[in-house]
């Protein structure tokens, strides 16, 4: 105020940009049944981790039902994207469709989290006006999560706790129910 009153100069107040990211504890469930659900998924795809890509797409569709036209890319040399698709948003008469790229990581829920290398693979492959979806049965490490948020990458992180919530929302409340769903939907 003094600067303005005497010299007629002002400096606008600026709030520092806050970066929010979830900790490992916030990304993973703690109750035994929820952990068992994640372990069931991890064990089911342990021998063929690329088969988890279809499961990750199904989970993303549980979270965002307006996802459409999803194509799972080839198992290798996929350009850092396990699936690509379109997401229709807004009221039906005036939809906006946005493209997305999905990366699926079937990791041990109680193991190490995704590192910078795994996360940068997705962020570096995002095209103009495209957002990313990272689905993992585990969690994203502190450093890569922080970098995604600080750099403003349009990436949705679906970690272990989000998967459990999506499955429960779809009526699967136990490891046995999840296993039955996996066997029914994803033939290995």
């Amino acid at each position: 105020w003094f600067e303005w009153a005497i010299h007629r100069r002002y400096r606008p107040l600026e709030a520092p940009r806050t970066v929010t990211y979830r900790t490992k504890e916030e990304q993973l469930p703690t109750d035994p049944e929820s952990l068992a659900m994640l372990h069931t998924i991890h064990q089911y795809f342990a021998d063929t981790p690329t088969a988890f890509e279809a499961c990750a797409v199904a989970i993303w569709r549980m979270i965002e039902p307006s996802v459409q036209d999803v194509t799972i890319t080839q198992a290798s040399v996929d350009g850092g994207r396990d699936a690509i698709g379109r997401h229709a948003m807004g009221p039906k008469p005036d939809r906006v469709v946005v493209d997305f790229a999905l990366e699926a990581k079937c990791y041990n829920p109680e193991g190490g989290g995704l590192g910078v290398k795994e996360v940068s693979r997705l962020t570096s492959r995002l095209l103009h006006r495209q957002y990313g979806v990272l689905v993992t049965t585990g969690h994203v490490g502190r450093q890569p999560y922080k970098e995604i948020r600080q750099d403003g990458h349009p990436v949705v992180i679906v970690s272990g706790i989000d998967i459990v919530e999506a499955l429960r929302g779809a009526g699967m409340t136990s490891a046995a129910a999840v296993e039955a769903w996996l066997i029914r939907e994803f033939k290995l």
Side-chain angles (χ1 to χ4, degrees), residues 12-30:
L13 293 175
E14 293 182 11
R17 191 170 138 197
T18 57
V19 176
T20 58
Y21 59 92
R22 296 185 292 175
T23 63
K24 175 182 179 180
E25 294 74 28
E26 293 170 319
Q27 294 179 66
L28 292 171
T30 55

Side-chain angles (χ1 to χ4, degrees), residues 132-152:
V133 180
L134 181 58
V135 180
T136 178
T137 51
H139 71 282
V140 176
R142 180 180 185 272
Q143 183 61 33
Y145 206 135
K146 200 172 179 182
E147 285 180 16
I148 287 171
R149 296 298 177 241
Q150 282 180 333
D151 295 346

Side-chain angles (χ1 to χ4, degrees), residues 1-11:
W1 182 85
F2 183 75
E3 282 290 314
W4 172 250
I6 304 297
H7 304 290
R8 296 290 188 225
R9 289 186 298 224
Y10 68 91
R11 286 180 297 174

Side-chain angles (χ1 to χ4, degrees), residues 37-106:
M37 291 167 72
L38 290 176
H39 281 294
T40 298
I41 296 170
H42 178 252
Q43 290 167 356
Y44 188 79
F45 295 106
D47 293 334
T48 53
T50 55
F52 175 67
E53 296 167 4
C55 181
V57 168
I59 290 165
W60 180 232
R61 281 188 161 140
M62 288 176 194
I63 295 169
E64 288 293 334
S66 56
V67 164
Q68 57 190 24
D69 302 329
V70 179
T71 303
I72 296 174
T73 60
Q74 61 188 20
S76 60
V77 194
D78 58 8
R81 301 170 297 184
D82 293 328
I84 53 174
R86 306 185 80 198
H87 186 173
M89 295 181 267
K92 288 189 182 196
D94 196 23
R95 290 261 198 219
V96 173
V97 179
V98 181
D99 292 334
F100 69 89
L102 183 142
E103 182 76 12
K105 296 293 182 189
C106 190

Side-chain angles (χ1 to χ4, degrees), residues 147-159:
E147 285 180 16
I148 287 171
R149 296 298 177 241
Q150 282 180 333
D151 295 346
H153 293 294
V155 174
V156 177
I157 296 173
V158 178
S159 62

